[in-house]
Amino acid sequence: MDQQVKISVDEQGRLRRRPLVADLVSKRDDALLVTGLGGATYDVAAAGDSDKNFYFWGGMGLTAMTGLGVAIAQPDRRVVVITGDGDMMMGIGSLATIASAAPSNLAILVLDNERFGETGEQIGLSAGCTDMALMAKGAGFETTATLSTEEEIGSLPGLLYKTPGPVFVVAKVAPGNDERVLPSTDGAYLTRRFRDAL
Ligand SMILES: Cc1ncc(C[n+]2csc(CCOP(=O)(O)OP(=O)(O)O)c2C)c(N)n1
Ligand SMILES: [Mg+2]
């Protein structure tokens, strides 16, 4: 069932990522969040730090694969990867491994601004002919979606938190320069903290 999602759009009707992520984080219950470097980490940190968040600062391309590892290690908890299009495209081969492992507790959300926001808004491949949801489908994901409108986004909480995984969702979001909200950048600390929280 669709849930109410508090959203905001820019002047062209494109979803703003920061309030969208804040709304999703508020609905997490005890889900574990694994966030990709760049905008996704800032968005989730801006919604409030938690020891159940594992943030990437580097390791571009590794977020989904790390989410798979967490999902296998914690089969009784929901694991949600929130990452960017650049990170996901760099690790796109991991989708085949994830579909093959088929963790029912894992969902992946790509915040697709069609850019490398972190490094200066260089245009990414998803701005052109590349359809990541279709690539996930080809990798073997049964549940995939691309959401870009206010109407479509209502299904997002259910997809991320309730639908049997693995789930792959692309949310088309507006480009822009939200404030960079930095949680700790100490990888050893973040890893230990996350482990302790589990
Ligand atoms: C292997 C590697 N190549 C390049 C970079 C530089 N880099 C850091 S973030 C980033 C772009 C991230 O883009 P995306 O995942 O779409 O995030 P967003 O647009 O939300 O910031 C790049 C190219 C890196 N950290 N590692
Ligand atoms: Mg991006």
Side-chain angles (χ1 to χ4, degrees), residues 17 84-86 111 113-117:
R17 57 191 295 162
D85 49 294
L111 296 167
N113 58 1
E114 303 182 346
R115 285 164 176 75
F116 292 169

Side-chain angles (χ1 to χ4, degrees), residues 165-185:
V167 167
F168 184 86
V169 184
V170 174
K172 290 282 184 182
V173 296
N177 294 302
D178 292 310
E179 183 197 352
R180 295 190 171 192
V181 178
L182 276 65
S184 170
T185 56

Side-chain angles (χ1 to χ4, degrees), residues 10-92:
D10 73 359
E11 55 292 337
Q12 294 178 46
R14 299 176 297 188
L15 295 162
R16 290 188 211 274
R17 57 191 295 162
R18 187 63 52 98
L20 174 62
V21 171
D23 187 72
L24 294 172
V25 172
S26 78
K27 294 179 166 78
R28 72 187 290 178
D29 291 327
D30 64 348
L32 306 174
L33 304 182
V34 180
T35 68
L37 82 174
T41 280
Y42 304 138
D43 290 335
V44 172
D49 190 23
S50 163
D51 58 5
K52 296 193 181 66
N53 296 349
F54 185 74
Y55 308 106
F56 267 85
W57 285 112
M60 190 171 170
L62 299 179
T63 317
M65 208 53 173
T66 301
L68 172 63
V70 175
I72 291 171
Q74 297 284 319
D76 296 329
R77 309 179 89 136
R78 191 72 175 186
V79 179
V80 177
V81 169
I82 302 180
T83 193
D85 49 294
D87 174 69
M88 192 66 249
M89 280 305 300
M90 190 166 277
I92 202 75

